[in-house]
Amino acid sequence: MNILIIGGGGHARVVADILLSMEDMEPLGYVTPDACPGTLGPLGLAVLGDDTCVAGLDHDGVVVAVGDNRLRHRIFARLVGAGETLVNAVHPSAIIARDVEMGVGCMVCAGAIVNTGTIVGDNVILNTGCVVDHDCTISGHAHVAPGVKLAGNVVVGAGALVGVGASVIPSVLIGEEAVVGAGAVVVDDVPPRQMVMGVPARPKT
């Protein structure tokens, strides 16, 4: 499949590397608002233009390679509304249990582990080396950052961010658009749109 990468920053570079590592995906280049068409972006792939050029490019699918959850969600919704095919970028070194249910437009980075019974929504980022244990639910447009460890039966709400190296004990609910700080240890539910940090994690004051 010939794939457009929507974005031009660090996440776009990671997605490009993942697509280049996949047998059935061929990245065509980057589509980004600050594009300089005709130049080369990361990993030597072409910068093709801005968002307005997508429909005019010959392609089979797109990946939204943007780290900010709300922005990624808006772009994803616009592309779906335009009839685009959102594909998953899954690094070959990721380990995903055979019964995991995964939506579309997801990014699963090198070394990620997703265990049995887990449900992953649309447009989710499972970043480098994260561990998602059995029977978790990662709702749409969420981001599980590098090195995160989620124990069994954790629910991550839509648009939530679990920061670098955070750990979450079993059966905790992280609410919609909540933010878990880097290195936090979450032992209680986190309400929607709340930021928690520390060991144990507590609301930011």
Side-chain angles (χ1 to χ4, degrees):
M1 296 180 69
N2 293 318
I3 308 300
L4 297 177
I5 300 168
I6 311 300
H11 277 279
R13 175 180 290 186
V14 175
V15 165
D17 181 69
I18 292 171
L19 293 174
L20 289 166
S21 300
M22 298 174 70
E23 293 184 357
D24 56 345
M25 299 291 184
E26 184 67 34
L28 296 173
Y30 306 97
V31 174
T32 179
D34 55 354
C36 295
T39 61
L40 292 181
L43 301 181
L45 296 178
V47 177
L48 301 170
D50 61 19
D51 294 357
T52 63
C53 78
V54 172
L57 295 171
D58 186 16
H59 63 284
D60 301 309
V62 299
V63 178
V64 183
V66 174
D68 180 272
N69 287 349
R70 290 182 179 179
L71 178 57
R72 192 172 70 258
H73 188 176
R74 290 197 297 271
I75 297 171
F76 177 91
R78 185 169 69 246
L79 291 169
V80 169
E84 292 289 342
T85 299
L86 277 295
V87 301
N88 294 329
V90 180
H91 196 279
S93 69
I95 300 172
I96 301 175
R98 66 195 68 194
D99 64 343
V100 167
E101 298 178 25
M102 186 173 296
V104 297
C106 295
M107 171 183 175
V108 185
C109 296
I113 299 173
V114 187
N115 272 326
T116 181
T118 291
I119 298 171
V120 180
D122 294 337
N123 198 32
V124 164
I125 296 175
L126 299 178
N127 221 316
T128 309
C130 70
V131 175
V132 179
D133 208 355
H134 65 87
D135 300 299
C136 288
T137 297
I138 315 298
S139 303
H141 320 293
H143 182 174
V144 179
V148 167
K149 293 179 173 58
L150 304 182
N153 295 289
V154 169
V155 175
V156 177
L161 168 63
V162 185
V164 174
S167 298
V168 184
I169 70 167
S171 303
V172 163
L173 169 61
I174 297 171
E176 179 178 348
E177 295 188 352
V179 176
V180 175
V185 176
V186 182
V187 298
D188 297 303
D189 290 352
V190 180
R193 287 168 288 282
Q194 185 172 83
M195 176 180 284
V196 298
M197 55 202 320
V199 181
R202 294 289 181 261
K204 182 180 179 182
T205 56

